[in-house]
Structures are given as structure tokens and as C-alpha cells.
Amino acid sequence: MATHHRITVILLLLLLVVLVSGSSYAIPAFSRQYGTSCSTCHVDFPKLNDFGKAFKDAGFKFPKDDETFIKIPPVMLGAPAQKDLWPHTIFPGTIPGLPPIGLRFNTFFQVVSKNRNNFNLQNPGDPTLQQFIPRTDFQPGFFSIFMAGNFGSDIAFWVDDDISVGGANSSGGLGDGYLKFINIGRFLKLPTDALSLRVGQFELDLPFSQARSWNLSGWDIYGQPNIGIIDPSFMQNVNNAFALSNAAQGVEFSGGHTYRGYHYSLAIVNQNTGGTPGSGANVPPVVTYVSDSNFKDLYGRFSYRFNLERDRASRNEIQAAGATGPRDHTYLNLGTLYFYGRSVQRFSGLASDGVTQTVVTAREPFYRVGGDFSFNYRTFNLFGQFLYGRDQNLLPTGLPLPAAFVPSRAATFSGGFLEADYLVYPWMMAIMRWDEVTSSADRINGIGADINNPPATPFLSPFHSARHRFTPGVQFLIHANIKTSFEYQIRPQQVVYATGSNVRLTSPFRTNSAVAGLEFVY
Amino acid sequence: MKSNALIAFVAVAALAVAANAGTISGKVSGVAGESVVYVDAITGKTFPAPTKQPVMDQKGLMFQPHIMVVQQGTTVDFLNSDSVAHNVFWTSIGGNKKLGHNLGTWPKGEKRPFKFDNPGAVSLLCNVHPEMSGYIVVAPTPYYAQTDKSGAYKIENVPDGSYTVTAWHEGAKNQSKPVNVAGDAKADFTLSK
């Protein structure tokens, strides 16, 4: 990858980190349906309060006596008594009385450090490589549509799609789109809510949702792939684009609750390793192909939430009974996650006879394992995530056309984040956040270059192999559905080397940025 | 024989009282929906507190009824009929912020009483459902009425005399005017927000 392309890509990534991972949703359709405010379910949308978590767990409906709260009655798709005739009739269901559509738009303004154009020092005489970055810039964000609700019989649905991104028409894509069959364990006489099934495309059941994060920028560790571009010495040969925040296609079994006690999920999903699916020219697909391998990845998560109220009755309720009114519980939530997959790389190589050209395939198993916690006391929430990732690293032998692969040192990374949210007022939340990613793949590929091991082609690069980011922020609800957010990103140190040498053109510097966002949903 | 005389005496006395009681009627205009009209405090006169306890319900994420008018000294029972947690609080009574109060939290099916000893409008709120809104208008006398949707009202059994009558409407400025009751009296109000 050429130097100027790297610069462009990384700077765009900086921007996209802000724009993409700021994706968030609150559901105005539910406000209309139940005649209630956003704050019934959200602390600072889209962050859910305990009731919102229970509402989501129940399949986007009130956990008890749902029908008594609905202000717009659903349309019956068959009289309830038709159930008695089944299987000789279609099982009756409902659709929401109003199309459960919500829309969202956001826009941003950003200020970048004065040193943002330091990278131009690399090739001062080449106008094609000069990347001018404005000090300040306005940036349109997303216009998104999202729909969610319940079809009766405990069948919930969700679809969200970005209609336009960054001011461009129809450049977005499908976020989540799924049906969730709530409490199917009842057919197996399992305890209530012990088993539900979700089918479609969805974000994995992460401890803290990146797709519906309330932060302007996403948590770095959830967006961390494990990519080691092949260098001349073949130190590393991993090209795994999988990141935990990627949308996954598959099925998920889950159970328990997110507002008390245990919660688990087990998902079987397509591989998502950046490969190119086959066209199916000779064996046409019934639909199409998304993944490029037979193997399906596996994801599992288990968590347990301890509600810490002294009063036993209050402890088991959805919300705690405070002296002056219901409130979120004081709780400690502990969880763990595990993901197992296989990354696939295909190369033009030689067969075992050493002559015949063929496609050789490297299948590199990888896993991600992590732990998380969340502690809440009244309006203060402290939470964090640790994640460790390991990819088997198969190096090709028999260059220039590889014939086989041999295991080498695994490509690993680790890191996480720690965040504290404090609701100063119901309309104002202060945020302190720290992100870290330490990646051997990053280091080998020069992103974390140091003076003793300079990259062959220097580019915008952190100065250390561990990337730390400290991000204070504050968010204000102007209305329950309008939010303005501010975030100051103290970014990792970077350094610029002269092309092809270890001569530093700059001292280590940070390209910090301040971002303000304004968004509304309706 | 003695008891017949007593009954006759009571009947005559009752008729005499009835003969001195009138009505105040009229219309509240300038606003849409129901309003409350009541006779203000009467100097030197107090009224026993009612023993009946009306119920202000929280049902379907709404205060029901939306507006309730009670006499000063009435105890109101606040009921939670929902299967979600609620609370009830108000920031003032009659504009007096020192009289703000929070009743706390209680489960479905239970009531929590509160005695309203101070007159004025009470704006009821729930701190988990900010869209919920209800009103209790505490009238200083037993002479009050709630209008119909057209704004018409009628306060009955008001003794003859001179009074100040006040009209209240959600979100509008109160309006008061003097009314002389000698039999039937009329008082119309035009409120504005």
C-alpha cells in the first residue's frame, strides 16, 4: 500500500471511527405506540436504563400487561380464537397499529490538532502525496431508518438501515435485521425466558453494544481486526478482518435477563474474514453467498448481574424502589465472552509436485476471549472490558509461489476500555473513558514502529505498539429526542519517519481532535 | 306528638336554608377542555374536611382522572394500577414551592394517602415517566365545580353572600372575580395562557 494511500486510509478511519461507531438508536415508534417518553427506557439515548433492558429482553414490549399500555391498538392478523383451529388455519398474530418507523439524523463538527499536516513532511515535493487536512470541518452524518416491534406470540423484529452516510445518497447499508422468537423454551417446559432464538443479521451480544453506543466514537477494542500484511520476511501472515463489532449473519440462542440474574447467548454465524465469496456460477445459489468458507464461527457469552438492593423484593423488580421514586438498581454485572473462528486466506501457489499451479489455502483458527464488568450506583456507572485475541499464524513456504504453510508465532492483541458515566442531571451526562489496544500485528507492520525497528515505508503511525486513547466527553439532551454531544479525543502518540530510513522528521506528537455532534430521532 | 313537632321544625329550617342558597353558573372560555371554578376562602368561615377519600389512579402510564378537584382538608388516595413502577410528586401547591412533596414508590395495587391542607393547584408528576401529568385543584371551600368540555359549569347550594370566584385551567392564568349570590348568579371567565 502506497504511503499516501495509508495516510488517506488512516485519516479516513479517524473520521469514520467518529461517524460509524457513533451509530445509535432510540425508538420513537415505541414512544408513539405506548404514549411515553424516550426516558422511560433510556438514560441518555440510546443507553438503556433497567426498564429499557427489560423491555428489550421481553421482545420490545412491556414485560407485564403489555396490552394495557398500548395507546395505538395493533392490527389483528386473525382473531385470537383462531388459535384453537390450528393447524387448520394460520396462527393469528398482530402488526403494530402504526408503522413502527423511526428516523435519525446526525451532523458533526470537528477540530483537529495543529500538527495534523505533519505527515506532509514525508514527501514535501510530491503534490500527489500531500494530504491537506482542515483544522475545522463540518461533516454530515447519517440519515437512518429503523423499525422494531412485536408481531404477537412473542415474536420481535428489528431492522435498521442507513439510507445515506456522510451526505452521500444511498451509501449506507443494513445494520441489524432479525426476527427474535422470545421464550421458545416454554415449548420445552423450560423456565420462563430461559431460551430465545434470534435469526438474521445482528450485532453479536456484546457486553456493551457498539452499534448502539452512546459515545461519539466507538470502543477501539471492539473494532480491532488482526491484519498483518505480508512483509518481505514473512514475519506475519494474518489477514483477519473480523472485529467483534462487525454485523454477523446467523442464529443466536439466548436466555436470562440483562437487568437481573444470569444472561447467556450462543451464536453460530458466518465467517467474516474479509474474503471474497464465490460467485456460484456453476451451482447457482438460492439466494447468494456472504461468507467464503464452510466453517461457521461460534460466539458465546455469559454474564451474571447482582442487584445489590438490601430489600429482597426490590432487588428482584425491574427497577429498584428508591425513597423518592423508582430508579436503576445498584448492581454489579460480571461477564465473559468467547469467540472462535477460522480465518481463510487463499494464494496462487504450487501443488505438492512443485510444478502444477493451484490455489493453496491457509486456514488460521483464531479466538477472542474477554471479561467485562459494570458497576452502577444511582446515576454513576463504571464499566470496562478486557479482550485478548489470538490468531494462528501460518507462514507460506516455497516462495515465490507457496506450496505449504508452517506455523509461526501467533498474532495476538489485547486491550480494552474503562469508562465512567455520570448523570449530572437527567439531561446531562459526563463521560470519562480510556481505550487501549496492544497489537503484535500492528507492531510488525510498522504501525507501532520505534526508532530501533523503523518501518520500511513510514506513514501515520502511533509511536508505541500500545495505542492508548483518553476521551473525556459530555452529552446534553436538548429534548428527550435531541442530543448534542462533545468528545475530546487524546489520541496515541505518532511519529513521522523519512521515507526508507529511520530518521525522524518529527518528535512524537498526538493528533488530538475535538468532535461535537448533534442528532435527533423522530 | 313531640317527635312530629321536631320533624316539622327541621323541615321548616331546611326549607329556610334552601331558600337562602343559590347557584353560581357560567362559562369558561378562551381555553379548550375542562376547567375548574371554585369559591375562594370566605373570611371567618371554616368547613369540616370531607371524610370521603377520592382516588387518583396511575393506569396505562396516565393519571386518571386527569383533573380532580377536592375541598381543602381532603385526603386523596394515590393508587398504582400499573405493572410498572411509578411515583407521584409535585413541586408546589398553588405556586408555593415549599409545599412540594414526593410520595415515593409503591407497588401495583397499593395506595398511598395524602391530605391536602393547603389550597391551590397541584401539578402531579411521575419521575420515571415524564410525559405523565395530572392535576388536583384544592378548593378552599366546598363550593366548586368542574366544567364540561364546552366550559359550562354550575356550583350549587352556595349561600347568599358576596364571594370571590376563581377559574383555573391547566396551563392558563387563574382569573378571579367578585360574585354576589342572591339566588342564582352568573360569572363568565375568559382565560388566557
Side-chain angles (χ1 to χ4, degrees), chain A residues 34-37 39-40 51 62-66 68-69 71 317-327, chain B residues 59-62 81-89 102-106 108 112 126-131:
Chain A
Y34 292 96
T36 191
S37 172
S39 59
T40 296
F51 186 80
F62 276 48
K64 294 178 190 170
D65 306 327
D66 179 69
T68 65
F69 296 98
K71 303 297 188 298
E317 288 295 323
I318 291 170
Q319 289 170 298
T324 58
R327 57 170 170 76
Chain B
K59 192 174 183 182
L61 302 184
M62 291 186 289
S81 292
D82 274 343
S83 56
V84 300
H86 283 300
N87 97 310
V88 180
F89 76 99
N102 192 322
L103 284 177
T105 314
W106 57 100
K108 181 182 180 179
R112 191 161 288 192
C126 170
N127 66 9
V128 284
H129 304 106
E131 74 282 1

Side-chain angles (χ1 to χ4, degrees), chain A residues 109 112 118 162 179 195 207 214 220 320-321 442 477:
Chain A
F109 175 72
V112 189
N118 277 0
D162 299 321
L179 274 180
L195 181 63
W214 49 98
D220 292 344
D442 286 354
L477 290 176

Side-chain angles (χ1 to χ4, degrees), chain B residues 42-107:
Chain B
I42 304 167
T43 308
K45 202 158 188 180
T46 57
F47 300 94
T51 53
K52 189 180 175 187
Q53 296 187 192
V55 175
M56 174 60 79
D57 199 359
Q58 288 175 290
K59 192 174 183 182
L61 302 184
M62 291 186 289
F63 284 105
Q64 296 186 14
H66 180 61
I67 298 171
M68 173 186 285
V69 53
V70 299
Q71 185 190 327
Q72 186 176 349
T74 300
T75 297
V76 176
D77 283 331
F78 290 90
L79 170 66
N80 179 8
S81 292
D82 274 343
S83 56
V84 300
H86 283 300
N87 97 310
V88 180
F89 76 99
W90 53 89
T91 58
S92 66
I93 296 179
N96 185 348
K97 293 191 174 181
K98 290 180 181 173
L99 300 177
H101 189 70
N102 192 322
L103 284 177
T105 314
W106 57 100

Side-chain angles (χ1 to χ4, degrees), chain A residues 205-208 255-265 299-306 332-337 371-374:
Chain A
D205 179 32
L206 299 179
F208 312 98
H257 300 109
T258 53
Y259 60 92
R260 71 159 184 245
Y262 79 93
H263 170 74
Y264 76 90
S265 63
Y299 175 75
R301 166 161 171 73
F302 181 81
S303 67
Y304 198 93
R305 185 169 129 162
F306 302 90
L332 176 64
N333 193 91
L334 300 173
T336 183
L337 65 83
D372 59 273
F373 81 97
S374 179

Side-chain angles (χ1 to χ4, degrees), chain A residues 234 347-351 354-355 357 360 395-406:
Chain A
F234 278 98
F347 301 89
S348 292
L350 297 176
V355 178
Q357 282 209 345
V360 293
L395 300 182
T397 61
L399 293 177
L401 289 177
F405 299 92
V406 294

